[in-house]
Amino acid sequence: MEERPETELISIPATPRASTPEILTPSGQRSPRGTTHTSKDAKSWTPTSFISPRFLSPIGTPMKRVLVNMKGYLEEVGHLTKLNPQDAWLPITESRNGNAHYAAFHNLNAGIGFQALVLPVAFSFLGWSWGIISLTIAYFWQLYTLWILVQLHEAVPGKRYNRYVELAQAAFGERLGVWLALFPTVYLSAGTATALILVGGETMKLFFQIVCGPLCSSNPLTTVEWYLVFTSLCIVLSQLPNLNSIAGLSLVGAVTAITYTTMAWVLSVSQPRPPSISYEPISLPTYTTSLFSVLNAMGIIAFTFRGHNLVLEIQATMPSTFKHPAHVPSWKGAKVAYFFIAMCLFPIAIGGFWAYGNLMPSGGMLSALYAFHLHDIPRGLLAMTFLLVVFNCLSSFQIYSMPAFDSFEAGYTSRTNRPCSIWVRSGFRIFFGFVSFFIGVALPFLSSLAGLLGGLTLPVTFAYPCFMWVLIKKPTKYSFNWYFNWILGWLGVAFSLAFSIGGIWSMVNNGLKLRFFKPS
């Protein structure tokens, strides 16, 4: 049977719970109208549930066949979701032909990247035991909250929460949901985009130095000029219209991330270790200093598992029907992605710490390779590793910038009631790219603040999903499920505060100051 587009409305007798139309709040965020339906009602009712065997039993065979066929048709066509017409104009929901493969590509591209390269730095403060324990707990904790977000995407029949802020509004209320979720998600998107410009530009500079060597030492580009070159490439690639259209870039980002993380730890462990290496946690003069350093290291591990602010957006690109709900391919793709993420994160953390111990530079694995093995490793292999990092940063910039593009266009379409023209859309993306560039130039140390970034954005990954599950699904009070999610949520909030304090202390203790237009 031919499938109809999800945006098409099916003409059936009106029922009070068939759909929950979306409206626009003054802030431009889409949110569901207030409803008093409980989660139990939401689970038990569907638009075809009235066509049950008990209902069909007294009806004659011809009419029964008609009703059975109608039930199958309704289940095949979809959720009868009344979508906001503006969703067809916005980058995240413009195309709904995603699948499990796209979900795997996007989750891999968002879930692994430059932040994996600084994991051995965290181990140098935590040591073997606490480093491995912390990384393992964080991995399984974020995998559980990822499953929660996938399940809550369509927690209410007839309604899809296409963006993280929408789900937060449904759980915490319209105003509180925006206050709680908007800052960390925007901070994750914009902050990660800025950090990617810094990492990508600096890596391009190192790649150029490795390839050219002493032959290209006359009039080299400055660090700021390399940032500008990288930003220009990002802006060119950002002209792809929507989230599904960058699936190919996400595949490139996923493959390059897996390749360069593997190359980094393999090249490191294959070389002789420094003679003065030690695996004892870095000793610091006072107990307070050691405590804050440990908290900052755990914040680095938390920052490694960013990407949950994109889970709902990725699932929003998929078609969804009663027989084929979107959460099935979304979870399938996420499981594949996070299997490969584990195969990258654990070896690079363990292998990098084994190779360099507490001599690991604060810049992470790339800095260690450049500092310790510039003349030991073949120049071609080293250059290839740096080039793969550049490709991955270019790809990751696109998926992390997409929520910002979506917000810009949502504000424009809500005011003009028409889609963005190609010139308006290009203007928004050029503007975002150069704003990220100027922030990166003004704050050139931003890429080194992984601990602080991890602490501030930790609730998005580790705390909010647990609270959302309790407030939306409403498990039995005082049951194991109820206690488990409340405890995990409040632990996430406590860790967020502690890691943020550790990150701020580390920034102040290391003497980092604002150096406008004077990057090192």
Side-chain angles (χ1 to χ4, degrees):
M1 182 179 296
E2 181 180 357
E3 292 189 0
R4 298 190 180 185
E6 189 175 0
T7 54
E8 182 179 353
L9 298 181
I10 311 302
S11 180
I12 62 169
T15 58
R17 301 177 187 170
S19 62
T20 307
E22 292 180 340
I23 61 172
L24 283 172
T25 64
S27 63
Q29 300 291 335
R30 286 149 302 281
S31 63
R33 287 179 181 167
T35 179
T36 58
H37 306 321
T38 64
S39 59
K40 182 177 179 181
D41 293 335
K43 288 181 180 179
S44 61
W45 186 90
T46 65
T48 58
S49 59
F50 69 92
I51 309 178
S52 61
R54 180 177 296 179
F55 175 81
L56 292 175
S57 57
I59 301 179
T61 300
M63 180 61 69
K64 186 185 298 184
R65 289 175 181 170
V66 171
L67 292 175
V68 169
N69 290 338
M70 184 177 73
K71 177 182 179 181
Y73 174 76
L74 292 176
E75 290 180 344
E76 184 65 28
V77 167
H79 284 273
L80 314 177
T81 305
K82 289 183 179 179
L83 299 175
N84 184 345
Q86 290 179 347
D87 272 351
W89 302 337
L90 302 179
I92 288 174
T93 48
E94 187 175 69
S95 173
R96 291 191 187 264
N97 60 354
N99 52 44
H101 298 93
Y102 285 13
F105 302 158
H106 289 318
N107 278 293
L108 259 174
N109 191 25
I112 188 170
F114 72 91
Q115 76 280 6
L117 299 172
V118 296
L119 273 177
V121 179
F123 273 53
S124 66
F125 288 96
L126 297 173
W128 280 119
S129 300
W130 283 111
I132 294 175
I133 290 172
S134 300
L135 184 59
T136 303
I137 291 175
Y139 176 79
F140 285 104
W141 189 346
Q142 61 84 34
L143 197 62
Y144 171 68
T145 55
L146 176 72
W147 176 83
I148 286 178
L149 291 175
V150 170
Q151 298 300 316
L152 291 182
H153 178 81
E154 296 172 281
V156 178
K159 169 65 183 172
R160 298 182 68 176
Y161 298 109
N162 297 317
R163 295 158 183 86
Y164 196 100
V165 176
E166 293 179 17
L167 185 60
Q169 287 179 296
F172 304 120
E174 286 195 17
R175 287 191 176 182
L176 183 59
V178 170
W179 278 104
L180 290 177
L182 189 61
F183 169 74
T185 53
V186 169
Y187 191 65
L188 261 178
S189 295
T192 302
T194 302
L196 285 167
I197 289 176
L198 297 179
V199 175
E202 291 168 358
T203 307
M204 289 181 75
K205 180 180 179 181
L206 292 175
F207 170 76
F208 184 78
Q209 290 174 350
I210 293 171
V211 171
C212 291
L215 300 177
C216 302
S217 59
S218 59
N219 299 323
L221 294 180
T222 65
T223 305
V224 173
E225 289 171 336
W226 281 113
Y227 292 163
L228 184 59
V229 171
F230 185 84
T231 303
S232 301
L233 293 175
C234 289
I235 290 174
V236 171
L237 292 175
S238 70
Q239 302 308 311
L240 293 170
N242 54 59
L243 192 54
N244 268 338
S245 66
I246 65 170
L249 284 178
S250 289
L251 175 59
V252 172
V255 172
T256 53
I258 294 172
T259 306
Y260 77 69
T261 52
T262 304
M263 289 180 66
W265 71 262
V266 168
L267 290 175
S268 296
V269 300
S270 64
Q271 299 298 318
R273 289 178 287 176
S276 58
I277 190 172
S278 172
Y279 298 114
E280 292 296 324
I282 295 176
S283 59
L284 297 169
T286 65
Y287 174 79
T288 303
T289 304
S290 300
L291 175 62
F292 284 129
S293 297
V294 167
L295 291 176
N296 183 60
M298 296 178 73
I300 292 174
I301 292 178
F303 180 63
T304 304
F305 297 106
R306 82 217 196 290
H308 281 42
N309 61 312
L310 295 168
V311 172
L312 295 171
E313 285 80 351
I314 293 170
Q315 193 166 338
T317 64
M318 301 179 184
S320 188
T321 68
F322 282 116
K323 291 180 69 174
H324 305 287
H327 70 82
V328 175
S330 180
W331 179 237
K332 186 182 299 183
K335 286 189 295 184
V336 172
Y338 277 85
F339 170 79
F340 284 105
I341 288 173
M343 294 299 100
C344 293
L345 296 185
F346 284 88
I348 198 171
I350 296 172
F353 186 56
W354 181 88
Y356 306 108
N358 57 15
L359 299 178
M360 172 65 63
S362 60
M365 291 292 286
L366 292 184
S367 298
L369 285 172
Y370 193 81
F372 291 102
H373 304 300
L374 179 61
H375 303 293
D376 302 330
I377 298 174
R379 198 166 65 175
L381 279 178
L382 203 58
M384 182 182 296
T385 304
F386 282 72
L387 184 61
L388 291 173
V389 174
V390 173
F391 287 157
N392 174 255
C393 289
L394 286 170
S395 302
S396 296
F397 182 91
Q398 308 309 318
I399 192 167
Y400 271 95
S401 301
M402 199 60 71
F405 300 157
D406 187 83
S407 296
F408 288 147
E409 296 188 29
Y412 177 86
T413 57
S414 65
R415 288 173 175 79
T416 63
N417 199 29
R418 62 182 180 184
C420 293
S421 67
I422 187 171
W423 300 110
V424 173
R425 173 170 281 184
S426 296
F428 282 142
R429 299 180 183 204
I430 294 171
F431 171 77
F432 177 81
F434 281 110
V435 166
S436 300
F437 163 76
F438 284 116
I439 293 174
V441 172
L443 306 175
F445 56 84
L446 186 63
S447 60
S448 65
L449 302 182
L452 178 59
L453 292 173
L456 291 176
T457 58
L458 183 146
V460 172
T461 300
F462 295 96
Y464 290 164
C466 300
F467 293 143
M468 292 172 180
W469 181 266
V470 174
L471 296 174
I472 294 178
K473 288 294 187 178
K474 301 186 185 303
T476 304
K477 202 170 185 180
Y478 307 124
S479 64
F480 173 79
N481 193 352
W482 188 86
Y483 274 118
F484 183 70
N485 284 284
W486 275 119
I487 291 173
L488 280 186
W490 285 114
L491 277 177
V493 172
F495 285 149
S496 174
L497 294 174
F499 297 168
S500 298
I501 293 172
I504 293 172
W505 177 91
S506 178
M507 179 182 67
V508 174
N509 188 64
N510 292 329
L512 294 175
K513 299 178 180 179
L514 298 181
R515 295 172 292 173
F516 291 92
F517 300 98
K518 293 181 182 180
S520 55

